[in-house]
Amino acid sequence: MALESSLSGKVAFVAGGSSGINLGVALGFAEAGAKVALISRSADKIEAAAQGLRDAGHEAFGLAADVRDFAAIDVALGETVKRYGPVDIVLSGAAGNFVAPASQLSANGFKTVVDIDLLGTFNVFRASYPHLRKPGASLIAITAGQAEQPMLNQVHACAAKAGVNMVTQCLAMEWGPEGIRVNGISPGPIADTEGMRRLTPTGEMEAAYKATIPLGTYGEKRDIADLAVFLCTDHARYITGAIVRCDGGSQLTGGSQASFNKPAER
Ligand code: NAP
Ligand code: COA
C-alpha cells in the first residue's frame, strides 16, 4: 500500500504538534498530502515546527493553544477551517509526564497530567466535532502503555491515559453513526523523544528497557506516523474504537517495570 498521496486534499489538525512523536505524525500527514494545522502551548515552538514543515514544501501553520483551554482550541479550529476548509483528521497527542512516587506527588501534580492528557483529549475531540467533514473524519488519540499496565511511580500518567482510552472508545460508539472514526495509537518506547528522556534518562536504564522488548529496540517516530496515516485512509474504513499498539511487543512483557519504574526508596 502506498501512503505517499493517500491523504491528498485532506486537512489535519494536530494537538501537541511542536515536537516529538506528534510532530513526526504531522510530517507523515503532510508527506501523504494533507494540509496541517499545529497547536501547542509555546508560540515559538509551534511556529518553528510549522516553518519546518513549510521548508520541506508542505502546507502548514501553527497557533499557540493550551489543550486545557477549550476556547483556545475552538479558535484554532476556526482558523483551520477558514484557511483550509473542514477538518478530516484530528490527532490528540499533547501530554505531560514525569516519574514521581505517589507519596511525593501533589494533588496539583496529579491534576496537571490528567488535565493535559485526559481533559485535553476530550477538549480537542469535542471542539473539533462541529468542524469535521462528515462522514469520513478520522480522529486519533495518542495513548500509552500506562493505560493498560499499572506502573510504579506513574499513577498520574496511568490514570490519565486509561481515561484517554475510554474517551476514544466512547466517542467511537457515539460518533460512528455519523461516519466519524475514533482510534487510539499506543506507542512503545520511541527513540529521541522527550518522553523517553524523562523515563529512561541514563544509558543504563535504556539498555535495561531494551532488553525487555521482544523486538529488541526502541521504535522511531516514522513507525507511529505510518500507522497514523494508515488509520486515516480508506484502507482503515472499518476500524474504529481500536487501541492499536505500535511497540515492538513491549507491552507483552511489561518490561518497563524493570527499568524506569523502581519502587520508591523507603
Ligand atoms: P513531547 O515531544 O514532549 O510532546 C508533547 C507535545 O505536547 C509538545 O509538542 C508540547 O508542546 C505539547 N504540549 C504539552 N502540554 C500541552 C498543553 N497543555 N497544551 C498543548 N500542547 C501541549 O513528547 P513525546 O515523547 O513525543 O510524546 C508525544 C505523545 O506520545 C504523548 O501523548 C505521549 O504520552 C505519547 N507517548 C510517547 C512515548 C515515547 O516513547 N516518547 C511512548 C508512549 C506514548 P509545548 O511545550 O509547546 O506545549
Ligand atoms: N515530580 C513531581 N511533581 C511535579 C514534577 C515532577 N517531576 N513536575 C511538575 N510537578 C508538579 C509541580 O510541582 C506542580 O504541583 P504543585 O503546584 O503542587 O507544586 C504541578 O506538577 C504542575 O507543575 P507546573 O510546572 O506548573 O505544570 P505545567 O503545566 O507548567 O507543566 C508538566 C506540565 C509538569 C507536565 C511539564 O513537565 C510539561 O510541560 N511537560 C510537557 C512535556 C512532556 O512531559 N513530555 C513528555 C510527554 S510523555
Side-chain angles (χ1 to χ4, degrees):
M1 183 189 70
L3 295 174
E4 281 76 28
S5 53
S6 54
L7 303 181
S8 188
K10 304 239 181 205
V11 176
F13 182 84
V14 176
S18 67
S19 58
I21 291 173
N22 306 321
L23 179 55
V25 172
L27 177 62
F29 288 156
E31 287 177 345
K35 297 173 186 155
V36 179
L38 305 171
I39 64 162
S40 81
R41 293 168 300 181
S42 157
D44 289 348
K45 279 173 64 182
I46 207 68
E47 179 46 32
Q51 187 60 51
L53 293 182
R54 288 195 295 270
D55 289 346
H58 306 300
E59 220 167 318
F61 77 96
L63 276 180
D66 191 313
V67 295
R68 294 168 284 193
D69 180 348
F70 187 91
I73 304 166
D74 195 43
V75 167
L77 280 155
E79 182 62 25
T80 305
V81 173
K82 203 166 105 190
R83 292 193 192 206
Y84 296 153
V87 177
D88 302 285
I89 294 165
V90 178
L91 185 93
S92 173
N97 197 17
F98 44 78
V99 176
S103 58
Q104 287 157 47
L105 179 67
S106 70
N108 192 42
F110 183 89
K111 179 178 184 299
T112 298
V113 172
V114 169
D115 280 355
I116 300 171
D117 295 24
L118 174 53
L119 181 64
T121 295
F122 178 78
N123 284 347
V124 167
F125 286 168
R126 175 65 186 86
S128 72
Y129 179 78
H131 301 288
L132 296 174
R133 193 192 308 278
K134 307 167 205 142
S138 172
L139 278 46
I140 298 174
I142 300 295
T143 178
Q146 281 91 334
E148 300 179 77
Q149 170 71 56
M151 291 185 193
L152 294 165
N153 304 330
Q154 293 282 277
V155 63
H156 42 301
C158 289
K161 292 294 195 181
V164 168
N165 284 14
M166 275 297 148
V167 167
T168 301
Q169 292 168 94
C170 289
L171 296 187
M173 274 203 304
E174 289 201 29
W175 294 351
E178 293 172 76
I180 301 168
R181 295 184 299 106
V182 192
N183 291 294
I185 293 177
S186 181
I190 302 301
D192 189 26
T193 60
E194 183 59 23
M196 293 318 294
R197 278 188 281 278
R198 290 178 181 221
L199 295 178
T200 56
T202 67
E204 194 186 13
M205 292 165 93
E206 187 175 317
Y209 196 167
K210 282 184 178 160
T212 70
I213 302 172
L215 290 185
T217 186
Y218 282 2
E220 294 178 8
K221 290 161 203 154
R222 167 58 57 189
D223 298 317
I224 308 304
D226 284 349
L227 174 56
V229 171
F230 165 73
L231 285 173
C232 296
T233 67
D234 268 359
H235 297 284
R237 58 186 283 275
Y238 203 52
I239 301 176
T240 197
I243 306 294
V244 187
R245 293 178 192 164
C246 184
D247 69 349
S250 50
Q251 192 74 22
L252 301 173
T253 63
S256 54
Q257 297 287 0
S259 52
F260 61 81
N261 286 316
K262 304 274 186 242
E265 304 258 330
R266 291 180 196 278

